[in-house]
Amino acid sequence: MSDNSISNDEIDIFRDTNVRYLGYSNEVGEAFRSIVPKSVVWSSYIAACGYVLADTLHKGYHTYQNEKSPNHIKNVVLSTSDTLIWQGFASVIIPGLTINRICALTHFIQNKTTARPLLRSPWISTIVGLVSIPFIIHPIDEFVENTMNSTYRQWTGYKPKKHLSST
């Protein structure tokens, strides 16, 4: 099957630049969940989902413009769906859940401790959540990449040229 992803020598604005960090805005929102209104957390998810949709449309449009094979429409659909699934899990679902649980565990431990009130501050779970973000990005990206390679990509035969371009 022909590949229609961004070629390895092209800059992908959604994965090779700082725009990539918009995909992690929901993680920041989750880290601040204990000290900001829920509307702020939901806004961070809107930003992250907007990033995912923009990257998905970008990849689909790029494939649409550059695909010349008889399977033109099929490859556009595969490129688009692959990006949507990958980004959905690697940028929104798994990181958001991970930071949410890290902060919840921190908060749980804080409530069980008899430590000074300063150590029970909601800022502690926020700081722990924010500090955790850089440590979870690459393992999650690799996990999603490997899972996509052994499931969806295996089933569809789709093989993007560029993998883990955010790493």
Side-chain angles (χ1 to χ4, degrees):
M1 175 176 298
S2 79
D3 181 288
N4 313 308
S5 298
I6 307 294
S7 68
N8 287 331
D9 56 344
E10 289 182 60
I11 298 291
D12 181 347
I13 189 171
F14 292 99
R15 297 191 189 180
D16 298 330
T17 68
N18 288 337
V19 172
R20 173 74 173 121
Y21 295 109
L22 283 174
Y24 296 105
S25 60
N26 63 310
E27 292 175 58
V28 174
E30 285 294 344
F32 279 93
R33 182 180 285 275
S34 65
I35 57 177
V36 299
K38 286 184 182 179
S39 61
V40 173
V41 178
W42 286 111
S43 295
S44 72
Y45 273 90
I46 291 169
C49 289
Y51 162 81
V52 168
L53 291 176
D55 187 30
T56 299
L57 292 173
H58 176 256
K59 299 301 180 296
Y61 184 71
H62 187 274
T63 302
Y64 179 78
Q65 283 191 316
N66 297 304
E67 174 64 40
K68 306 297 181 214
S69 79
N71 295 326
H72 177 75
I73 299 301
K74 177 182 176 184
N75 291 332
V76 170
V77 169
L78 288 174
S79 172
T80 304
S81 59
D82 184 83
T83 302
L84 181 63
I85 294 167
W86 194 94
Q87 287 287 15
F89 280 100
S91 296
V92 179
I93 298 169
I94 297 173
L97 181 62
T98 302
I99 295 301
N100 178 286
R101 295 295 81 203
I102 288 171
C103 291
L105 178 61
T106 302
H107 188 68
F108 176 78
I109 292 169
Q110 286 177 292
N111 287 337
K112 293 295 181 188
T113 186
T114 57
R116 290 183 243 160
L118 178 63
L119 294 177
R120 290 192 309 252
S121 165
W123 279 99
I124 299 296
S125 64
T126 298
I127 292 167
V128 169
L130 290 173
V131 168
S132 301
I133 293 171
F135 296 103
I136 69 168
I137 291 173
H138 295 299
I140 289 172
D141 285 356
E142 285 185 33
F143 171 76
V144 172
E145 186 73 20
N146 292 334
T147 302
M148 291 286 290
N149 286 339
S150 63
T151 58
Y152 182 78
R153 294 173 183 160
Q154 187 86 28
W155 302 330
T156 63
Y158 181 73
K159 303 209 183 324
K161 284 181 189 172
K162 203 164 190 178
H163 301 283
L164 293 175
S165 50
S166 65
T167 58

